[in-house]
Amino acid sequence: HELEPTPDQCPEEGQFSLEMTAESGPPHPQEQPGRTIPLDVSSDSYLLFQDNKFVVKAFRLFHRIPSFGFCIQEHDRPGRLKTEVLKELGVKPGPLYGRLKAGESVVLESGRLLLPSEVLEADIPGRKVCVFGDCSSVLGEGAFRLCHEADVLVHEATLGNEHQKKAVDHGHSTPEMAAAVARTCSARRLVLYHFSQRYKPSSLKKEGGEDDVSELKNQADQALQDCGVEVTLAEDFMTIPIPLRRPSTS
């Protein structure tokens, strides 16, 4: 699929010409027909995919060429059934449980109309992961709305704070800039990635040699010390569990 960028996503020399994005020649055997997706101005985002479990949207970033970020949002799940309440009402486990769980009202043998809200706990919030591509800034408000309260926000941090001008000149970000985005979005976890080769893992760092990548984490931690956002340095093949946030029961 082709996302239509806007002219303000990059300097003039990085903008794509129509010839670059036009269809040329027959597709490869593994290719499937795609869509050209324009920006939805009302939401300042691109709708890429949705079903009964997820919705995936893209948003605009500024880089040397058009760049995008992606928000994968899981729909809320129905809360647990209050089985004790159902037993008190004389409702036995069976098809009625499934209908109530699906949000459907049912009529009991007594003739009483039973609403799902009477026997369901609060909805379980869906999880949200936001991945930012190469960027030195975010364009518009769409990204911040989509990424509000993200469980995980993945953002580049190419160079340390002391090299901010160089990073921005090349369309990239620093840990402090990534932290500012995470703070604005009220993200729960910030994952930093896209490190310059000058930063080496601690295990590979030589005395008097390259900078340690952990310094990038320290800079982000410092910028977020008052808001409790967890900072993680990305590594190849890293897996990050994202547990469901079940509502507290009283």
Side-chain angles (χ1 to χ4, degrees), residues 57-123:
K57 293 185 177 182
F59 49 86
R60 300 175 300 145
L61 302 172
F62 187 87
H63 184 51
R64 289 183 295 178
I65 61 173
S67 183
F68 298 89
F70 301 89
C71 174
I72 301 93
Q73 170 72 66
E74 184 180 39
H75 296 313
D76 293 348
R77 306 179 184 205
R80 293 172 175 168
L81 283 169
K82 300 176 182 178
T83 54
E84 292 301 319
V85 175
L86 288 164
K87 288 179 182 178
E88 292 174 4
L89 293 171
V91 182
K92 298 179 180 179
L96 291 184
Y97 275 40
R99 290 169 60 186
L100 288 163
K101 182 79 171 178
E104 182 181 344
S105 299
V106 300
V107 178
L108 305 182
E109 292 181 358
S110 63
R112 178 188 169 181
L113 177 66
L114 183 61
L115 304 177
S117 58
E118 298 180 75
V119 293
L120 280 176
E121 295 179 358
D123 285 350

Side-chain angles (χ1 to χ4, degrees), residues 44 54 133 144 229 244:
D44 193 20
F54 297 93
F144 298 117
V229 179
L244 289 169

Side-chain angles (χ1 to χ4, degrees), residues 2-216:
E2 192 79 34
L3 297 181
E4 285 188 349
T6 56
D8 53 353
Q9 282 185 249
C10 66
E12 185 176 355
E13 61 269 20
Q15 294 177 14
F16 294 148
S17 66
L18 293 176
E19 291 75 17
M20 292 176 66
T21 57
E23 182 179 345
S24 60
H28 295 289
Q30 73 274 19
E31 285 187 308
Q32 300 295 324
R35 295 177 290 136
T36 298
I37 306 173
L39 176 70
D40 178 356
V41 178
S42 64
S43 65
D44 193 20
S45 65
Y46 302 79
L47 175 61
L48 307 184
F49 172 82
Q50 62 180 339
D51 63 8
N52 60 353
K53 292 185 177 180
F54 297 93
V55 59
V56 182
K57 293 185 177 182
F59 49 86
R60 300 175 300 145
L61 302 172
F62 187 87
H63 184 51
R64 289 183 295 178
I65 61 173
S67 183
F68 298 89
F70 301 89
C71 174
I72 301 93
Q73 170 72 66
E74 184 180 39
H75 296 313
D76 293 348
R77 306 179 184 205
R80 293 172 175 168
L81 283 169
K82 300 176 182 178
T83 54
E84 292 301 319
V85 175
L86 288 164
K87 288 179 182 178
E88 292 174 4
L89 293 171
V91 182
K92 298 179 180 179
L96 291 184
Y97 275 40
R99 290 169 60 186
L100 288 163
K101 182 79 171 178
E104 182 181 344
S105 299
V106 300
V107 178
L108 305 182
E109 292 181 358
S110 63
R112 178 188 169 181
L113 177 66
L114 183 61
L115 304 177
S117 58
E118 298 180 75
V119 293
L120 280 176
E121 295 179 358
D123 285 350
I124 301 170
R127 292 163 288 189
K128 183 187 295 187
V129 176
C130 299
V131 182
F132 286 60
D134 289 12
C135 66
S136 58
S137 64
V138 176
L139 286 183
E141 295 298 320
F144 298 117
R145 287 194 293 266
L146 286 175
C147 300
H148 181 62
E149 294 188 345
D151 292 276
V152 173
L153 191 151
V154 183
H155 197 293
E156 66 138 280
T158 303
L159 292 168
N161 296 338
E162 65 277 15
H163 302 297
Q164 180 171 334
K165 185 180 185 307
K166 182 178 180 181
V168 172
D169 286 347
H170 289 81
H172 293 295
S173 299
T174 66
E176 188 173 58
M177 293 165 66
V181 173
R183 178 189 292 273
T184 301
C185 294
S186 300
R188 294 178 172 82
R189 186 171 193 164
L190 172 63
V191 177
L192 301 177
Y193 82 112
H194 197 285
F195 312 125
S196 167
Q197 291 185 0
R198 70 185 295 159
Y199 301 100
K200 302 299 182 185
S202 300
S203 59
L204 299 179
K205 186 176 182 295
K206 299 177 181 178
E207 186 174 351
E210 301 89 344
D211 296 324
D212 188 340
V213 71
S214 63
E215 180 57 27
L216 300 179

